[in-house]
Amino acid sequence: MKPTTPNGVKAVIFDVFGTLIEIPNPKRPYRQLLEMARNDGIQPPGNVPAEMMSKRLTLREAAQLLGVQLSRDIHLRLERELKDELDSVRMFPEVPEVLRLLRERGYILAVCSNLAAPYVEPANHLLAPYIDVAIWSCDVGWVKPEPQIYLSAVRKVGLPASEVLMVGDTYRTDVAGAQAAGLHARLLDRVGRGSSAVTSWSTLNALVSSELPSIRKRN
């Protein structure tokens, strides 16, 4: 039997990339910087990937954080690839209708995402008409699965964690991390990786039709 969302859930927080939004033309310039550092034998201190998403860093600043020396040509190439990637950003086909329906059903809608700074603007542009609250790691200084980022999202929606459902495509950050912070959570498994630890859905339509009935009329 499929689980149902516990009574009392009044807000849904979504992960963004891989959940609501896709990048059909991925270039991953920030990941390329990490690979450059590894290839150069650089061992940056601390958790640099997390730090790159918890601050508003340009590509040049991220390279400096890693200790990578970028030539002018490589820097320009990475900037072009970043622009190409951001220009390709789009919502998954079912997302606008799902978010519209959830708003009509009375849910507060939010997003909570680990993002490097350049990805915030295109995500905001697509999602702003549908959501009430946005939490971006590069703005709040925490990254999932740190509990502070979920609790920050909960505070902004103005509800206790027990009345909030987190939905995302990564088990560690969107399910386990959210549950550890007291939220309910569901996994969106678009690529069929599967998980014995949690029932997952392949589309947001399935989640909405099975678990998120109307709760009230929005004002």
Side-chain angles (χ1 to χ4, degrees), residues 100-141:
R100 183 196 64 79
L101 181 59
L102 288 177
R103 286 180 66 85
E104 287 184 356
R105 290 181 181 180
Y107 293 92
I108 299 170
L109 300 183
V111 293
C112 180
S113 182
N114 289 348
L115 280 188
Y119 297 85
V120 171
E121 183 177 351
N124 258 331
H125 176 73
L126 291 172
L127 296 173
Y130 304 97
I131 63 172
D132 303 293
V133 170
I135 299 291
W136 311 110
S137 62
C138 61
D139 288 334
V140 299

Side-chain angles (χ1 to χ4, degrees), residues 28-70:
R28 301 182 177 89
Y30 284 83
R31 185 178 298 178
Q32 290 187 53
L33 290 177
L34 290 168
E35 291 172 354
M36 290 177 192
R38 284 193 290 267
N39 291 339
D40 289 345
I42 298 172
Q43 296 293 331
N47 187 349
V48 171
E51 193 170 352
M52 288 167 66
M53 292 186 292
S54 64
K55 298 179 179 178
R56 281 193 167 265
L57 300 177
T58 64
L59 278 170
R60 174 71 75 182
E61 290 167 339
Q64 291 171 349
L65 178 67
L66 287 164
V68 172
Q69 298 296 318
L70 290 181

Side-chain angles (χ1 to χ4, degrees), residues 129-190:
Y130 304 97
I131 63 172
D132 303 293
V133 170
I135 299 291
W136 311 110
S137 62
C138 61
D139 288 334
V140 299
W142 302 300
V143 296
K144 298 181 293 185
E146 293 177 316
Q148 295 95 329
I149 193 169
Y150 309 104
L151 298 177
S152 175
V154 166
R155 284 193 297 270
K156 289 199 73 171
V157 301
L159 294 169
S162 60
E163 295 181 359
V164 179
L165 172 69
M166 178 81 201
V167 177
D169 69 320
T170 305
Y171 179 79
R172 176 174 173 266
T173 58
D174 299 318
V175 177
Q179 289 175 334
L183 289 73
H184 304 287
R186 293 290 181 265
L187 180 68
L188 181 68
D189 186 9
R190 291 185 182 276

